[in-house]
Amino acid sequence: MAFDRLGKFEELVLLAAAALVGEGYGVTIRDYVEDGTGQRVSVGAVYATLDRLERKGYVTSRLGEASATRGGKRKRLHQVTARGTKALTEARTVREHFWNVIEAAASP
């Protein structure tokens, strides 16, 4: 089965969700991406990307427990699926291939 190529922002959001091991939600994923890139990211862009990744089968989501600090509101937690992990692995392999070629070309 062919996998869709991940866009750069999709890859960052998916990596953040993977790093947060099923406990990531919109705000924590946004914070993780911002910390890792040094770039400001809107939470709306993160939610739109998470929705797209869920439609592609790269993440699943579930409602977490209600929190008093959130006024009883529940968080939607995201977990990377096996398909999402495969897409990340594929993206990493492609990037590593190009870096190897670049480094080989730069060596005397």
Side-chain angles (χ1 to χ4, degrees):
M1 174 182 287
F3 286 85
D4 296 327
R5 294 278 183 224
L6 290 171
K8 181 179 178 181
F9 192 67
E10 286 179 326
E11 185 177 350
L12 290 171
V13 169
L14 196 55
L15 284 166
L20 292 166
V21 196
E23 295 300 315
Y25 61 98
V27 173
T28 58
I29 291 171
R30 186 226 25 218
D31 292 347
Y32 204 95
V33 171
E34 284 185 347
D35 290 347
T37 64
Q39 301 288 316
R40 302 262 312 149
V41 174
S42 82
V43 75
V46 171
Y47 282 121
T49 301
L50 286 167
D51 286 344
R52 189 168 54 255
L53 291 170
E54 193 160 9
R55 284 193 309 272
K56 289 181 176 183
Y58 294 163
V59 297
T60 58
S61 65
R62 64 180 170 80
L63 288 176
E65 296 299 318
S67 166
T69 58
R70 293 174 44 88
K73 193 173 177 187
R74 298 167 72 182
K75 299 173 186 170
R76 179 159 298 279
L77 303 171
H78 293 83
Q79 175 73 43
V80 177
T81 64
R83 183 178 171 92
T85 300
K86 185 168 183 170
L88 284 173
T89 301
E90 187 177 89
R92 181 180 186 173
T93 300
V94 169
R95 289 181 188 277
E96 286 175 350
H97 167 75
F98 280 102
W99 277 112
N100 290 337
V101 170
I102 291 166
E103 289 169 353
S107 296

